[in-house]
Amino acid sequence: MNIVVCVKQTIDTEAKIVLNSDGKVDTNGVTLVINPLDEYAIEEALRMKEKFGGEVTVVTLGGEEATAAIRGALAMGADQAIHIKDPALGEVDEGIVAAILAKAVGTLPYDLILAGVMDTDIGSAQVAVRMAERLGLPSISSVTKLDINGSQATALRVIDGGLATLEVTLPAVITVVQGINEVRYPSVAGIMKAKKKPLTTVKLRDLGLSAPDLALQAKVTHYTLPAPRKGGRILPGEAAESTRELARLLREEAKVL
């Protein structure tokens, strides 16, 4: 079974986010990691490889710094990687990323395409399903359990208030959620082997694309940080009195009642 995993590099969720003078997220000095939800997709791909055989190929779009995320995926056990990196590519949105990934994935043999349900920085949950549309493939999102039997995949999908079981014929695009598995840590041997595994760098022209072909449809105009949390308050008095005061504060100050 040939499995492709789409991976994105994101800011560590434990990092403190600050904005620069241009109002953009300042990535200087912060740790960049594999998108945590994509790690579950990598792990699921590796488990299927161990069960059925085949190869796992990681595909990512990003600058030079994204190489670290690719090597991390290779250290986990992926066999090879495609790094789409082109200085001609400027600002991108989900549609552009989906178009580029579809072109790259379309050059590979695959039975299954996996990805995290969303990225932890933007959280749009659009890229994988829009890529599936471009490839003409069925897709299932928010999968918490995945079973493969021949050319059929059975997926347990998280929905509002419960779970739904869906079946799909491969090839297909599946996005996974936290809890589908337990992600392994790269071993020392895996880290050493990752340095020798194939990592192919491609530019837009290698995919038959050029920057003018990729029209930006959505643009982030500015970011704002959440208001700092205020310190807690201790309400004095007896229980009945403090409860009345709490209700008043929630209604008049917090405005949540």
Side-chain angles (χ1 to χ4, degrees):
M1 173 176 283
N2 293 309
I3 306 171
V4 176
V5 185
C6 296
V7 171
K8 181 181 180 182
Q9 187 181 55
T10 60
I11 295 175
D12 189 341
T13 53
E14 299 296 324
K16 181 180 180 181
I17 303 299
V18 296
L19 303 181
N20 59 25
S21 58
D22 297 325
K24 301 292 182 66
V25 176
D26 190 350
T27 58
N28 291 321
V30 300
T31 302
L32 300 176
V33 299
I34 299 173
N35 175 44
L37 291 170
D38 291 341
E39 287 188 309
Y40 291 101
I42 297 169
E43 177 64 32
E44 195 67 13
L46 296 177
R47 294 186 182 201
M48 290 185 180
K49 171 190 167 182
E50 292 164 356
K51 183 176 181 180
F52 300 111
E55 289 192 336
V56 175
T57 302
V58 171
V59 180
T60 194
L61 169 66
E64 184 63 34
E65 66 280 357
T67 303
I70 296 171
R71 290 298 181 192
L74 293 174
M76 287 176 65
D79 298 286
Q80 60 183 338
I82 306 294
H83 185 185
I84 309 161
K85 180 177 64 174
D86 196 325
L89 187 63
E91 187 175 0
V92 299
D93 60 14
E94 289 82 358
I96 291 176
V97 174
I100 295 173
L101 289 178
K103 283 286 187 179
V105 172
T107 66
L108 302 170
Y110 59 81
D111 301 292
L112 179 65
I113 303 170
L114 296 173
V117 68
M118 67 176 70
D119 45 16
T120 55
D121 51 2
I122 304 299
S124 65
Q126 294 185 35
V127 171
V129 292
R130 293 175 74 165
M131 179 186 65
E133 178 70 19
R134 286 182 171 272
L135 291 170
L137 297 176
S139 67
I140 304 176
S141 299
S142 304
V143 171
T144 189
K145 183 180 180 183
L146 181 62
D147 293 312
I148 304 294
N149 184 9
S151 62
Q152 293 294 119
T154 302
L156 189 64
R157 179 176 185 266
V158 179
I159 60 174
D160 289 341
L163 300 168
T165 300
L166 301 176
E167 292 185 351
V168 66
T169 301
L170 300 181
V173 177
I174 306 289
T175 69
V176 303
V177 298
Q178 181 178 1
I180 189 172
N181 52 50
E182 185 174 340
V183 177
R184 70 191 68 186
Y185 288 101
S187 64
V188 174
I191 294 171
M192 298 304 294
K193 290 178 181 178
K195 298 177 181 179
K196 299 180 180 180
K197 290 181 178 179
L199 196 171
T200 304
T201 301
V202 300
K203 294 187 176 181
L204 294 180
R205 65 171 178 266
D206 300 320
L207 302 174
L209 297 170
S210 64
D213 297 330
L214 303 167
L216 193 69
Q217 296 180 320
K219 182 180 178 65
V220 177
T221 58
H222 67 280
Y223 293 88
T224 56
L225 296 175
R229 292 184 61 181
K230 297 181 180 180
R233 294 174 60 179
I234 298 177
L235 301 179
E238 297 296 329
E241 180 183 354
S242 58
T243 300
R244 285 193 295 271
E245 177 64 8
L246 175 60
R248 186 190 68 79
L249 292 172
L250 291 174
R251 182 177 61 254
E252 298 179 4
E253 293 189 13
K255 298 186 184 302
V256 296
L257 293 180

